[in-house]
Amino acid sequence: MTSLTGRAAPGTPAPAGATRPVDGVLAISGVGAEARQRRAGAYDAFLAPLLPPRPGVALLAVGGLGRRQCAPHGDLDLVLLHAGVPGVDELAAAIWYPVWDAGLRLDHSVRTVGEALSVAQDDVKVALGLLDARLVAGDPTLAESLIRSAADHWRRTAVRRLPHLREITAARWQAHGELAFLLEGDLKEAAGGLRDVGILRAVATAGVTDALRPAVRAAHLRLLDVRDALHEQVGRRVDRLVAQERDGVAALLGLEDGDALLRRVAGDARTVSHALDDAFRAADRLRGGRSRVGAGRPVRRPVARDVVEHDGELVLARTAIGARPDPSLSLRVAAAAATTRLPIARATCEWLAAYCPPLPTPWPADARAALTTLLGAGPGLVPAWETCDRYGLVDGWLPEWTRVRSLPQHNPVHRFTLDRHLVQTAFEASRHSRDVERPDLLLLGALLHDIGKGLPGDHSTVGAPIAEAVAARIGLPEAEVALIGTLVRLHLLLPDVATRRDLADPITISGVAEAVGDAATLDLLHALVRADAAATGPAAWSDWKGRLVAELVGRVHTALDSGVLPAPPAPDPALLAEPLPVVQLSGDRVAVAAADRRGLLATVAGCLALHRLEVISADASTVDGRALVECRVQPRYGLAPDPIGLTADLRRAVAGDVSVTQRLRGRALAAHGSGAAPRVVWHREAATDAALLELRAADAAGLLYRVTCALDEAGAQVRAARISTLGGDVVDAFYLVGGWPDDATRARLEAAVLGAV
């Protein structure tokens, strides 16, 4: 065989000196069904000659090769089927070893028909795999007996086995998340991915429901195309669509950019997920119907006005269908679904989408109450909202939703698309509803807090008037509309100030107090911050950030309640009394006292970097002739350093030990070369007795040491530093003693800092 597209006849060996199909199968480029079929044909032509013709033995392909849907760098799933013939182990070795020698990934088994059916009976995943079995070479009668028996057995037992399959599937979803909402989802294993299409095929084979409707088939083909393009782009087998590969994959598919790709994947994954939800519910109804034979029809149980439960789903009461529907009906059905955690029947969703009239402006009280109930329902919110969004109901409630649906977020701390992040934030906010005076405004503010993303400008500023327009359309009073705008505009205020400003500085506290205005708004913002962080992802929050935000909120509360700014905390008396140098290690706190001298903060920062500790806040002061440095730290790579070694190095470093200093400089110099363009910003009115220099740069080990050394050499005295890490970037704020009013002096200092970075 000399052509990649040609096929050798089954059982015909490749001519001497010819190119075997597998030698070039990975070079069969292209995306789409035709390219997948060509790859399957090349694999077949390679495998068929490996099994000499003889009765009682057959080579079957399952998985992607069985379906003729071979990805560019997929693996092979093969079954050597036999009827108890002698020498089967030698036959197997003659097949497996050439496959391995060709550098292909192989999943293989050797079984009789009875053994294969027995394993399929015990393992539902094997049962599903056999539904894709296809003869590659060998005895067709033997192969057909297994293929037919496996399909017949599945049809007889599918309804009984689907609950177990559903449990396995739910565990996989829990591990891999939902492809429709993930920024870097697994195209195969995540909910709504290719693995779920296999389950839909099995449900359709069992005759439970028409699970493979045309929309599902089209979504499946597009997802296969994305996986093909991803393999081509990366050059190896990979199923996770990571951010750095999106644009390349999009180009291979002829899409505008990575955002367009992500939105298409999200839409297709939603189609698959919804179809599988419907299929599982159909199986539940079928199983329930069989168990009720002779017991009559399922009972209709009222759960809310105009809403009843019927056979495990929510449907409309007959009175609601017969009369002119209330515009709030769709919201009330959604609220009932969220609170009862029952799915809405597909026919009900279709009826609501077709016949429920649009909401007037402003909304009636029933609609506002239903929205609050829906948003505050807890775990039932997300599935109920997603079902309504699937049928276009959410667009009727919030026309702004069309723009944010499946919108990617490019900050690496985010795990969800924007629409899911907003709904998830509302869910997380419901956990804090008892911490605020107006939980209804907290829930609405959570749903709308990032509504400005995707538009030009700062999303908090841009989003505030959009959120106010929504609040006014919903029918909130003018004062509450303004409060919703404040929540959206200021939703990043508390974490930004807590992590980038000196909380002991009176100007910091008075500035936040002036911005929020009153204690009720402060509590709403505090709850919103925690909900937003929980919905963003694990990298968005930490115990340290939580403590800082809580400390800031407590100080601002004191200022709002009493009008008196809280006094800064006093230093630990031990730092002032014990013989110098003093080193204290306690949890994430590192404190040092030494003889008063310049550069102590830089020395401490460098020593901590030497021990792979990141400084997240630092305070420097001089009391009674002693220089004090107190830092909050966290391990850079997750492992805490040896406290004895760290203490010894700190003592030597603050005492001026040259060997430690040389180690520090060597490590710091090795950290240069990130290549990112840094930026310096001055905030001259943000501190009581200092100018605030803010450095925005790429994160790197030893960065704080280098910058504080540069500041010290330039004659600047740092009394406090706050380090905020945002993915691969940092925002480092340095409080420099003095006003620094001279432009030339500031320019010289900026140059020194940028040179250090």
Side-chain angles (χ1 to χ4, degrees):
M1 173 180 169
T2 58
S3 169
L4 291 176
T5 57
R7 298 188 185 183
T12 303
T19 302
R20 295 169 117 188
V22 74
D23 292 337
V25 69
L26 297 183
I28 299 180
S29 60
V31 173
E34 182 182 353
R36 290 188 287 272
Q37 291 274 354
R38 290 170 59 207
R39 282 187 285 267
Y43 280 132
D44 284 359
F46 167 63
L47 293 168
L50 301 179
L51 180 64
R54 59 181 293 183
V57 183
L59 182 63
L60 276 65
V62 295
L65 181 57
R67 297 186 299 272
R68 299 187 184 276
Q69 294 171 348
C70 296
H73 295 277
D75 54 5
L76 300 183
D77 296 303
L78 301 175
V79 178
L80 182 61
L81 191 66
H82 67 96
V85 298
V88 70
D89 291 340
E90 290 76 10
L91 281 174
I95 298 172
W96 308 153
Y97 278 98
V99 173
W100 287 323
D101 291 342
L104 299 174
R105 295 164 58 99
L106 174 64
D107 186 5
H108 60 89
S109 61
V110 179
R111 292 190 176 112
T112 65
V113 171
E115 289 170 345
L117 293 175
S118 176
V119 174
Q121 185 170 355
D122 295 335
D123 189 336
V124 68
K125 291 186 287 187
V126 173
L128 264 61
L130 289 179
L131 298 179
D132 296 326
R134 178 177 63 84
L135 176 66
V136 174
D139 189 336
T141 303
L142 180 65
E144 180 62 23
S145 68
L146 174 61
I147 294 171
R148 185 179 59 253
S149 298
D152 290 345
H153 184 267
W154 173 252
R155 292 188 187 98
R156 292 194 308 271
T157 63
V159 173
R160 173 172 54 82
R161 302 185 71 179
L162 281 175
H164 177 54
L165 178 59
R166 192 173 192 170
E167 292 178 4
I168 297 173
T169 303
R172 172 168 54 81
W173 292 346
Q174 183 67 30
H176 294 279
E178 298 172 81
L179 181 58
F181 306 112
L182 291 172
L183 297 175
E184 294 189 334
D186 190 306
L187 296 169
K188 185 175 183 180
E189 302 294 347
L194 295 170
R195 184 77 72 187
D196 284 353
V197 179
I199 299 175
L200 287 171
R201 277 196 304 273
V203 172
T205 300
V208 172
T209 184
D210 181 16
L212 291 176
R213 294 185 290 273
V216 176
R217 295 176 185 272
H220 177 216
L221 290 176
R222 286 191 293 268
L223 289 174
L224 287 172
D225 290 348
V226 174
R227 186 177 65 172
D228 287 356
L230 181 59
H231 284 204
E232 297 258 357
Q233 172 70 16
V234 179
R236 59 184 173 84
R237 179 189 175 185
V238 59
D239 294 324
R240 188 171 176 229
L241 183 60
V242 295
Q244 61 264 32
E245 306 297 348
R246 282 203 296 260
D247 285 341
V249 172
L252 289 172
L253 294 171
L255 299 176
E256 181 180 355
D257 54 26
D259 286 2
L261 169 66
L262 202 61
R263 283 189 136 160
R264 194 180 88 170
V265 169
D268 291 336
R270 276 178 154 150
T271 298
V272 173
S273 288
H274 297 153
L276 189 53
D277 287 343
D278 289 345
F280 279 140
R281 290 206 298 272
D284 289 343
R285 289 194 298 272
L286 183 59
R287 188 169 54 258
R290 291 177 179 177
S291 66
R292 287 195 305 269
V293 174
R297 301 173 63 184
V299 176
R300 294 168 64 92
R301 179 178 65 88
V303 297
R305 181 163 65 95
D306 297 327
V307 186
V308 298
E309 176 193 351
H310 175 75
D311 210 6
E313 295 180 325
L314 295 187
V315 300
L316 294 175
R318 296 185 179 92
T319 54
I321 297 176
R324 174 176 170 79
D326 176 0
S328 66
L329 181 59
S330 62
L331 272 166
R332 290 190 286 107
V333 172
T339 53
T340 61
R341 303 187 193 179
L342 290 173
I344 308 171
R346 184 172 73 183
T348 299
C349 291
E350 292 171 345
W351 190 94
L352 289 170
Y355 299 111
C356 189
L359 287 159
T361 301
W363 287 11
D366 282 354
R368 288 196 301 275
L371 178 63
T372 300
T373 301
L374 171 61
L375 296 178
L381 165 62
V382 173
W385 187 279
E386 173 60 15
T387 297
C388 293
D389 195 25
R390 168 188 179 184
Y391 290 94
L393 301 179
V394 174
D395 290 351
W397 310 335
L398 302 172
E400 297 81 1
W401 205 254
T402 303
R403 181 178 56 79
V404 304
R405 182 181 294 110
S406 303
L407 184 67
Q409 302 193 81
H410 297 288
N411 190 312
V413 301
H414 277 280
R415 57 179 171 171
F416 292 135
T417 54
L418 180 56
D419 55 339
R420 175 57 184 275
H421 172 69
L422 295 176
V423 179
Q424 190 72 26
T425 304
F427 159 64
E428 299 291 348
S430 67
R431 302 174 185 268
H432 304 287
S433 59
R434 297 182 182 179
D435 301 337
V436 298
E437 293 181 7
R438 291 297 303 271
D440 55 333
L441 299 185
L442 170 63
L443 295 169
L444 183 59
L447 182 69
L448 300 175
H449 76 283
D450 276 347
I451 197 68
K453 283 188 174 178
L455 298 173
D458 182 288
H459 76 277
S460 301
T461 304
V462 173
I466 300 174
E468 290 172 349
V470 173
R473 189 168 67 243
I474 286 174
L476 296 184
E478 186 175 341
E480 295 176 8
V481 169
L483 181 52
I484 291 295
T486 298
L487 293 180
V488 173
R489 189 173 60 257
L490 300 182
H491 74 272
L492 295 177
L493 175 68
L494 296 182
D496 283 353
V497 171
T499 57
R500 302 181 189 178
R501 297 294 180 263
D502 182 6
L503 303 188
D505 193 322
I507 285 186
T508 300
I509 306 305
S510 61
V512 175
E514 182 179 353
V516 301
D518 58 72
T521 303
L522 178 63
D523 289 337
L524 285 168
L525 286 170
H526 190 199
L528 178 55
V529 163
R530 289 174 285 171
D532 187 14
T536 297
W541 198 249
S542 64
D543 292 341
W544 161 77
K545 183 178 285 189
R547 289 197 304 270
L548 285 182
V549 171
E551 180 183 349
L552 173 61
V553 169
R555 288 175 173 269
V556 175
H557 257 302
T558 300
L560 290 172
D561 295 342
S562 65
V564 177
L565 295 175
D572 187 338
L575 293 175
L576 304 177
E578 295 182 4
L580 298 178
V582 182
V583 176
Q584 295 178 343
L585 305 181
S586 176
D588 63 353
R589 175 177 173 270
V590 176
V592 174
D596 189 15
R597 67 176 180 86
R598 297 183 65 86
L600 182 63
L601 175 58
T603 300
V604 172
C607 192
L608 295 174
L610 187 66
H611 287 264
R612 295 179 172 82
L613 288 173
E614 292 181 334
V615 178
I616 50 183
S617 71
D619 293 286
S621 60
T622 301
V623 180
D624 297 334
R626 291 184 173 217
L628 309 181
V629 174
E630 295 191 55
C631 301
R632 295 287 177 177
V633 300
Q634 62 185 11
R636 189 171 187 86
Y637 303 111
L639 296 176
D642 172 27
I644 298 176
L646 175 58
T647 301
D649 275 351
L650 281 170
R651 287 182 179 276
R652 290 198 301 271
V654 300
D657 189 308
V658 176
S659 64
V660 178
T661 304
Q662 289 175 340
R663 289 167 60 202
L664 299 179
R665 290 190 177 275
R667 176 67 61 85
L669 289 172
H672 278 283
S674 67
R679 182 185 174 200
V680 169
V681 179
W682 289 87
H683 302 275
R684 295 180 56 194
E685 306 297 329
T688 302
D689 56 356
L692 186 62
L693 182 149
E694 195 171 79
L695 170 65
R696 302 171 185 178
D699 191 15
L703 178 63
L704 179 61
Y705 168 64
R706 299 199 303 274
V707 173
T708 49
C709 281
L711 290 171
D712 181 58
E713 292 169 1
Q717 181 180 349
V718 180
R719 73 159 174 79
R722 296 293 180 270
I723 290 80
S724 177
T725 302
L726 304 171
D729 292 333
V730 293
V731 179
D732 292 355
F734 299 93
Y735 284 76
L736 308 181
V737 176
W740 296 86
D742 182 64
D743 291 342
T745 305
R746 290 202 306 274
R748 177 174 56 82
L749 196 61
E750 285 183 29
V753 169
L754 295 176
V757 176

